[in-house]
Amino acid sequence: MELQNVVLLGRTFEEYCTYFQLTEENLRSSRILDLGAGLSSFCAEATAHGYHVTAADPVYRLSKDEIARKSDEDLKEVLRQLPDVAHKYKWDFYGDPAGLAHHRETARLNFLKDYGSLPNHYVCASLPETPFADREFSIVLVSYFLFLYDDLLSYEFHKRSVLEAARIAQKEVRIYPLANLRAEKSVFVEQLKDDPDCAGLRFDLLRSDFEFVKNSNELLILRRA
Ligand SMILES: C[S@@+](CC[C@H](N)C(=O)[O-])C[C@H]1O[C@@H](n2cnc3c(N)ncnc32)[C@H](O)[C@@H]1O
């Protein structure tokens, strides 16, 4: 499944490393999957640094031109709406809307430059069911997808998605943010922790210095219990 209301915007390597708290050791020694990667330039930039990263997203069924057009429209629309919702955000990292626009445009352009250049790096795949093998990646990252859209994606979808991400991760799954678009921590986090179907998973919540959407200063790390 793919949500039409999910915007096609991406974050940079610097943003990912900051809120996922990725160390040089994590990056050097891991095969990483960016799940729901969209227009993020994490895969492109990490590959340029010599790290092993795969990006997966349903939007990769589209051509580069189609993605370029839609993401350009989405970026303009988000920036147009920003003044109305600016109170839901903290500006320590980006400074102001121009700083945010700069990060989004940098990610978009670096992604587009790389997209399609290395055939196995961008895989068309969707949660809650991916084509990857059990424990295929050491670390699976999910950035700005799960929990953020908890009004559009059901609890069942979230449960199946975290179990799927855990299935394909050998070491751990990192999910950020845990806050939704109303800038509240998603109630699904605690519900999943208490769900007997997730009893095989350990939930660790780490405090994060990064907070853009208000109440998004936590990172979830899932490991096999
Ligand atoms: C807000 S963007 C986040 C992109 C990137 N992870 C980042 O943080 O920059 C959300 C992404 O989720 C993708 N998406 C939509 N439905 C999905 C699904 N069922 N499984 C995985 N990703 C999905 C969208 O195509 C979009 O690229």
Side-chain angles (χ1 to χ4, degrees):
M1 67 150 305
E2 183 185 353
L3 277 176
Q4 298 311 316
N5 321 37
V6 173
V7 291
L8 219 44
L9 288 183
R11 286 150 194 91
T12 60
F13 180 80
E14 181 194 1
E15 290 170 280
Y16 266 51
C17 289
T18 306
Y19 53 71
F20 281 126
Q21 303 183 16
L22 292 169
T23 62
E24 168 63 21
E25 166 64 17
N26 292 145
L27 291 161
R28 197 165 12 88
S29 62
S30 305
R31 184 153 182 233
I32 298 178
L33 176 69
D34 181 8
L35 192 46
L39 270 277
S40 170
S41 59
F42 176 70
C43 177
E45 294 183 67
T47 303
H49 284 107
Y51 306 130
H52 298 285
V53 174
T54 301
D57 196 290
V59 86
Y60 299 156
R61 71 180 191 289
L62 300 180
S63 70
K64 187 172 174 159
D65 285 351
E66 288 171 304
I67 294 181
R69 197 171 46 247
K70 163 118 176 66
S71 58
D72 184 46
E73 285 165 11
D74 281 5
L75 180 56
K76 286 183 181 138
E77 184 56 22
V78 163
L79 294 175
R80 194 186 64 73
Q81 290 179 13
L82 201 54
D84 295 338
V85 290
H87 60 281
K88 290 186 182 172
Y89 301 101
K90 289 193 171 182
W91 292 92
D92 307 346
F93 185 86
Y94 300 107
D96 55 22
L100 176 71
H102 173 73
H103 272 82
R104 294 293 165 273
E105 191 58 4
T106 303
R108 184 176 169 275
L109 295 178
N110 282 331
F111 165 83
L112 288 170
K113 231 186 285 164
D114 197 55
Y115 181 64
S117 63
L118 294 161
N120 298 325
H121 277 209
Y122 295 94
V123 179
C124 179
S126 310
L127 284 166
E129 238 174 77
T130 71
F132 304 112
D134 291 356
R135 305 182 186 216
E136 183 166 340
F137 301 92
S138 9
I139 300 180
V140 174
L141 305 175
V142 185
S143 162
Y144 285 89
F145 178 59
L146 291 175
F147 302 123
L148 188 65
Y149 299 99
D150 68 357
D151 52 342
L152 300 170
L153 297 165
S154 67
Y155 175 72
E156 202 53 34
F157 177 91
H158 279 75
K159 178 159 71 177
R160 288 182 61 199
S161 295
V162 299
L163 291 170
E164 174 68 358
R167 179 187 71 77
I168 60 181
Q170 185 248 321
K171 196 171 151 224
E172 64 197 33
V173 179
R174 298 190 186 194
I175 304 177
Y176 180 90
L178 310 184
N180 54 33
L181 288 171
R182 299 180 302 285
E184 298 157 355
K185 182 172 172 181
S186 172
V187 292
F188 290 169
V189 179
E190 293 304 316
Q191 252 177 282
L192 286 167
K193 266 171 92 174
D194 296 338
D195 193 315
D197 291 340
C198 297
L201 297 178
R202 201 177 93 203
F203 287 69
D204 288 320
L205 293 168
L206 290 195
R207 212 67 199 162
S208 159
D209 289 340
F210 184 93
E211 186 178 2
F212 180 47
V213 179
K214 282 184 186 165
N215 294 314
S216 66
N217 54 352
E218 270 181 317
L219 163 71
L220 174 61
I221 303 193
L222 296 173
R223 299 187 183 95
R224 257 173 279 282

XYZ file of all heavy atoms in Angstrom, residues 10-11 55 134 174 178 185:
56
model
N 12.565 14.594 1.466
C 13.606 13.766 2.047
C 14.548 14.543 2.949
O 14.676 15.761 2.847
N 15.189 13.778 3.810
C 16.162 14.359 4.733
C 17.572 13.949 4.319
O 17.754 12.980 3.597
C 15.826 13.943 6.167
C 14.612 14.706 6.634
C 13.729 14.044 7.636
N 12.463 14.790 7.695
C 11.388 14.520 6.944
N 11.407 13.500 6.113
N 10.307 15.267 7.013
N 18.101 1.695 -0.098
C 16.896 2.485 0.165
C 15.699 1.750 -0.417
O 15.788 1.199 -1.515
C 17.031 3.861 -0.478
N 14.992 -12.782 5.854
C 15.160 -12.685 7.309
C 16.576 -12.198 7.601
O 17.539 -12.722 7.035
C 14.998 -14.064 7.969
C 13.569 -14.574 7.903
O 12.685 -13.851 7.422
O 13.351 -15.732 8.324
N 15.694 1.064 14.043
C 15.598 2.380 14.690
C 14.473 3.165 14.011
O 14.442 3.246 12.771
C 16.911 3.158 14.568
C 18.066 2.442 15.253
C 19.307 3.308 15.351
N 20.406 2.522 15.880
C 21.549 3.029 16.335
N 21.758 4.339 16.312
N 22.501 2.229 16.800
N 8.683 9.555 17.029
C 7.585 8.802 17.625
C 6.368 9.707 17.787
O 5.330 9.284 18.280
C 8.002 8.238 18.995
C 9.340 7.482 19.004
C 9.603 6.882 20.366
C 9.364 6.406 17.926
N 3.191 12.544 21.102
C 3.767 11.206 20.993
C 2.645 10.220 20.636
O 1.590 10.220 21.283
C 4.427 10.815 22.308
C 5.089 9.466 22.245
C 5.891 9.190 23.500
C 6.387 7.767 23.533
N 7.139 7.463 24.731
